[in-house]
Amino acid sequence: MSAEMATGHQEKAYELLKADADKILKLIEVQMENLTMPQCPLYEEVLDTQMFGLSREIDFAVRLNLVNEEAGKQLLESLEKQLTALHDASMKK
């Protein structure tokens, strides 16, 4: 595989992971706006399941050398910060 092709695969892998992170954020936003409060066990279960799935995707991409380990960690940490901010904002309502 050429270096150019490998870089393309790495970029695509990161884009897919970022898209999944964005989907989780949107799912939680919708859930918080319309369905349940953050203290609800269902909310916690959905969030935990989604975050676990994303972390496994990131681990897999890192093991394939498609995503840098640090970039994967940053993606997960960024999502966690956004979700915390969303949670904190909903608690102030």
Side-chain angles (χ1 to χ4, degrees):
M1 180 182 326
S2 71
E4 187 176 299
M5 192 170 172
T7 300
H9 288 313
Q10 291 168 339
E11 289 172 1
K12 182 67 173 171
Y14 188 83
E15 288 172 14
L16 290 171
L17 291 171
K18 177 75 172 99
D20 284 350
D22 291 344
K23 285 179 195 172
I24 293 170
L25 183 61
K26 189 66 178 164
L27 171 74
I28 298 304
E29 284 176 345
V30 168
Q31 186 176 8
M32 290 178 84
E33 288 172 7
N34 301 310
L35 302 174
T36 58
M37 294 303 296
Q39 302 90 334
C40 176
L42 178 61
Y43 164 85
E44 291 293 334
E45 187 156 332
V46 168
L47 181 57
D48 289 347
T49 300
Q50 294 294 317
M51 292 299 287
F52 178 76
L54 181 61
S55 72
R56 301 310 316 146
E57 285 181 54
I58 290 170
D59 288 346
F60 184 69
V62 167
R63 288 186 3 230
L64 289 173
N65 291 318
L66 291 173
V67 173
N68 175 287
E69 186 172 1
E70 189 57 35
K73 282 182 186 177
Q74 287 176 357
L75 181 62
L76 214 47
E77 287 172 8
S78 174
L79 178 58
E80 288 170 351
K81 285 178 187 174
Q82 291 177 70
L83 291 170
T84 298
L86 194 60
H87 178 270
D88 291 348
S90 77
M91 297 303 288
K92 293 177 183 174
K93 287 183 180 179

